[in-house]
Amino acid sequence: MSRHVVVRSNKKINPDILTGLAEAGSSTVHEADGRRGAIDPALKPIQAGARIAGSAVTVSCHPGDNLMIHAAVEQVRPGDIVVITTTSPSTDGMLGDLLATSLRARGAIGVILDAGVRDVAELREMGFPVWSRAISTQGTVKASPGSVNVPIVVGGQVINPGDAVIADDDGVVVVAHERAAEVLEAARKRTANEESKRERLAAGELGLDMYHLRPLLAELGVVYVDEP
């Protein structure tokens, strides 16, 4: 029989680092971390404009059963993001406004859910952000064991408890706990570089020239032809 556990983990990332990662945004963080950590874009935000970063509390559930999400609530600390998967594919509505209310009371700032969500209107009214694979009226039971704060796979990425999770309108990215500070530094450098490029592009400079792409076009055999 497999072992099911609830791990009491205190592995968290410095809040200042998380604030910086949220400000940088998921796309910049993804690039700054060597284009790693992007979660399947099939997980979409149910709301527009949310931009968060937090330490992951991970949850592994039986499909169609949200018992372990309830068990995970106790392990949440302020600023955490709860990341939930199922042991086989599921689109059932694993989380609604009642569970979100409970999670928020413990300090959770959002949920990444590789399954379905429901009560979407209520969640939007609450301002509680969720990224999910589906929206579904189908409910769940509370009957099957799973685990909390163990390594899980969500949208093709391994997520460990305490990893940094960055989520916004572009999608969701995970950064390993031990790399969070250096990725933030790289993200800030990238942001500064992009601001300079933005100013040049706004002034009318072409990307072809700014990125020195004309020689590449020639190398690839692209030729300019004047229309008669």
Side-chain angles (χ1 to χ4, degrees), residues 64-82:
D65 192 317
N66 70 358
L67 173 63
M68 297 313 296
I69 306 178
H70 286 275
V73 173
E74 187 178 21
Q75 306 307 315
V76 170
R77 300 294 179 266
D80 286 347
I81 295 177
V82 181

Side-chain angles (χ1 to χ4, degrees), residues 112-193:
I112 312 301
L113 176 58
D114 200 349
V117 64
R118 60 184 189 170
D119 299 335
V120 170
E122 290 80 2
L123 291 169
R124 288 173 178 161
E125 186 176 353
M126 289 171 60
F128 188 82
V130 176
W131 287 255
S132 68
R133 186 169 292 277
I135 295 173
S136 174
T137 58
Q138 180 67 48
T140 57
V141 299
K142 300 171 180 58
S144 308
S147 293
V148 176
N149 278 331
V150 298
I152 61 174
V153 176
V154 172
Q157 298 294 332
V158 175
I159 303 179
N160 290 288
D163 283 351
V165 177
I166 302 91
D168 54 28
D169 286 343
D170 286 349
V172 185
V173 169
V174 59
V175 175
H177 180 278
E178 60 274 14
R179 291 203 312 275
E182 65 181 87
V183 170
L184 174 57
E185 183 178 355
R188 284 174 170 162
K189 290 179 180 177
R190 185 176 183 86
T191 298
N193 181 258

